[in-house]
Amino acid sequence: MPSQVNSLKNLQYSILGFFTCIDKKGQVYDDLKYVWLQGRQVWMYCRLYRTMERFHKQEILQAAKAGGEFLRQFARVPSDSPTWKCAFCLTKDGKPVKIQRSIFSECFYIMAMDELSRVTGDKDMQAEAEQMMDHIIHWVRVDPSELGRTKLPGDEPMNSMAVPMMLLSLVQQLTEERDQDLVEKYRETGHWCVQKILQHIQRGGMAILENVSLEGAELNGCQGRLQNPGHALEAGWFLLQFCGTHGDESLQLAAISKFIEPQFQRGWDKEHGGFFYFLDVDGHCPTQLEWSMKLWWPHCEALIALLMAYNNTKKPTLLDRFTEVYEYTFSHFSDPENGEWFGYLTQEGKVALDFKGGPFKGFFHVPRCLYMCERILDGLLGDKN
């Protein structure tokens, strides 16, 4: 698979982390630094450096180390409490600007620290990742009040699929090729995440809903009817990865038949091509203003999910769908003139926002997609190098 990513050739970083707000020609247009994107970029550089020979280069390792040092020095917000809360956004020199009442900055901090510990051998980083993980598990499963959310009488607690998905990804990250004690420590959490993700199979198995009750029941209103095809596809391949280490054939079947295959029929725009960003399960117009747009990351997740599902089953229809998504993705998102991908298209497939990076798009979904698809294709073609 040809790479469309030029970021490794022109690393936008300093000793104070990475600039991610990059215009269409690669110039920095805002020097704010987003912690979850810093963590993603460190993780991606380390994973490429560690597992692919052609990226085993000192400049990539040094960039990862610089990003990791920035995170360790500035990401966690000083507090009198023992809470390990990270900022969402920092100034150029590391001063906190904004904190989100969610777990995602912390999640990508963990991914960065754990993967960086693997390439540096720094046990303190690994221990720090595990400590942060323990905090997140506490926030999600025991007491969310430390996230700063005010409990209101009309705010019904819910199971948002992004949370168990992210936790499952962290369990996979932290336990990969680690000792059995660590595998056992997070075993129950991994199985809990799987069950929480499976609760999102609704309407007699015919729909994946983004939000359900804590007991796994459908919620009323727009929130309850919301579908995100990209998230369903990503959840599908997360579950397939879990199957790969746990050998659960029934879970593999659910991942492919409920989370991956149906999204192509329901989430694909049959008139213009590409995946819708949001849908309403009852056919109402979603209230999200960008619902009909085509975003880069759902197409990245679709490529991974379809190719992984094909690798597991060898069903020709899955390869056909992968090819269709590939052709749309590379003909619409990729910028042959300036490199990298655009992130935001209109429903018709025209570029709506022409920057290459911002608060939500960084060096992660595109290179992770290319990396994972290349490795799967190498396996299918029998290339072990």
Side-chain angles (χ1 to χ4, degrees):
M1 177 175 287
S3 173
Q4 302 295 315
V5 183
N6 286 341
S7 301
L8 289 174
K9 297 179 181 178
N10 183 24
L11 301 177
Q12 294 280 359
Y13 77 94
S14 68
I15 192 62
L16 292 175
F18 307 107
F19 297 117
T20 60
C21 294
I22 308 297
D23 70 17
K24 67 178 180 179
K25 293 186 177 180
Q27 300 301 307
V28 177
Y29 64 83
D30 193 330
D31 59 15
L32 289 176
K33 294 171 181 175
Y34 297 87
V35 168
W36 66 338
L37 298 186
Q38 302 290 312
R40 287 169 166 179
Q41 195 154 340
V42 170
W43 179 87
M44 195 72 248
Y45 286 155
C46 291
R47 181 56 65 109
L48 291 171
Y49 177 85
R50 182 169 69 88
T51 63
M52 300 192 82
E53 185 176 352
R54 71 178 185 271
F55 294 116
H56 195 78
K57 299 179 179 180
Q58 280 302 305
E59 60 264 35
I60 294 175
L61 178 59
Q62 293 308 314
K65 287 181 175 179
E69 181 58 33
F70 177 77
L71 284 169
R72 297 184 86 183
Q73 188 172 351
F74 297 111
R76 286 171 52 190
V77 177
S79 172
D80 294 332
S81 74
T83 301
W84 282 33
K85 200 77 185 76
C86 288
F88 174 70
C89 181
L90 304 166
T91 62
K92 179 180 179 179
D93 57 354
K95 297 183 180 68
V97 174
K98 180 181 180 181
I99 298 175
Q100 286 191 328
R101 292 171 291 182
S102 67
I103 64 171
F104 300 110
S105 291
E106 293 77 13
C107 288
F108 290 104
Y109 185 96
I110 290 172
M111 286 181 65
M113 290 300 107
D114 184 76
E115 193 65 26
L116 190 55
S117 76
R118 294 169 185 265
V119 299
T120 62
D122 189 326
K123 296 297 184 182
D124 289 340
M125 288 184 183
Q126 182 187 349
E128 196 171 330
E130 292 172 29
Q131 287 177 289
M132 182 71 84
M133 179 67 165
D134 294 342
H135 280 275
I136 291 177
I137 292 172
H138 179 78
W139 297 337
V140 171
R141 301 188 62 181
V142 180
D143 181 13
S145 64
E146 290 182 357
L147 294 174
R149 298 175 186 163
T150 302
K151 185 173 176 57
L152 300 172
D155 185 16
E156 182 180 356
M158 68 175 68
N159 168 10
S160 176
M161 192 162 65
V163 173
M165 281 176 60
M166 194 67 240
L167 272 184
L168 183 61
S169 178
L170 292 178
V171 169
Q172 296 286 93
Q173 172 69 37
L174 290 170
T175 59
E176 180 188 6
E177 299 177 356
R178 297 293 195 191
D179 63 59
Q180 193 60 32
D181 288 344
L182 198 59
V183 172
E184 289 301 322
K185 176 181 178 180
Y186 293 118
R187 182 181 298 279
E188 189 274 335
T189 297
H191 286 283
W192 179 87
C193 292
V194 168
Q195 293 308 309
K196 285 296 181 181
I197 293 170
L198 293 177
Q199 285 184 345
H200 291 265
I201 304 173
Q202 296 288 324
R203 303 288 178 100
M206 299 303 292
I208 303 297
L209 300 182
E210 189 72 5
N211 305 299
V212 295
S213 75
L214 296 182
E215 296 74 32
E218 187 171 335
L219 299 171
N220 294 323
C222 297
Q223 251 186 344
R225 298 194 304 268
L226 185 65
Q227 293 185 288
N228 183 331
H231 247 170
L233 288 157
E234 187 177 22
W237 74 257
F238 280 14
L239 293 173
L240 287 181
Q241 275 199 325
F242 185 85
C243 294
T245 56
H246 293 78
D248 189 332
E249 292 185 7
S250 63
L251 183 59
Q252 175 180 296
L253 178 62
I256 295 172
S257 66
K258 304 300 183 185
F259 287 85
I260 296 176
E261 288 182 310
Q263 303 314 312
F264 197 83
Q265 286 89 18
R266 297 168 193 160
W268 189 258
D269 184 342
K270 295 176 178 59
E271 181 179 359
H272 301 289
F275 286 100
F276 289 110
Y277 195 29
F278 291 111
L279 293 171
D280 183 295
V281 69
D282 288 335
H284 299 291
C285 179
T287 55
Q288 289 77 13
L289 301 182
E290 72 275 30
W291 74 269
S292 65
M293 292 179 69
K294 312 296 168 58
L295 271 65
W296 85 105
W297 72 262
H299 295 77
C300 291
E301 306 308 332
L303 290 169
I304 298 168
L306 290 166
L307 194 58
M308 193 180 291
Y310 172 75
N311 187 45
N312 285 19
T313 65
K314 303 304 186 291
K315 288 176 63 174
T317 53
L318 289 166
L319 188 59
D320 291 341
R321 289 167 184 168
F322 168 82
T323 302
E324 187 169 353
V325 176
Y326 172 86
E327 290 174 350
Y328 177 89
T329 301
F330 278 80
S331 63
H332 288 76
F333 290 101
S334 177
D335 180 0
E337 182 178 354
N338 297 300
E340 242 281 357
W341 290 14
F342 298 110
Y344 303 85
L345 310 179
T346 66
Q347 182 176 352
E348 295 75 23
K350 305 295 183 183
V351 175
L353 306 174
D354 69 1
F355 55 77
K356 300 295 175 55
F360 302 96
K361 183 179 184 292
F363 188 74
F364 183 64
H365 287 98
V366 174
R368 183 177 71 168
C369 170
L370 299 177
Y371 164 78
M372 293 188 68
C373 287
E374 180 176 320
R375 288 174 70 88
I376 296 169
L377 288 168
D378 282 347
L380 286 166
L381 295 171
D383 181 2
K384 304 302 182 183
N385 296 319

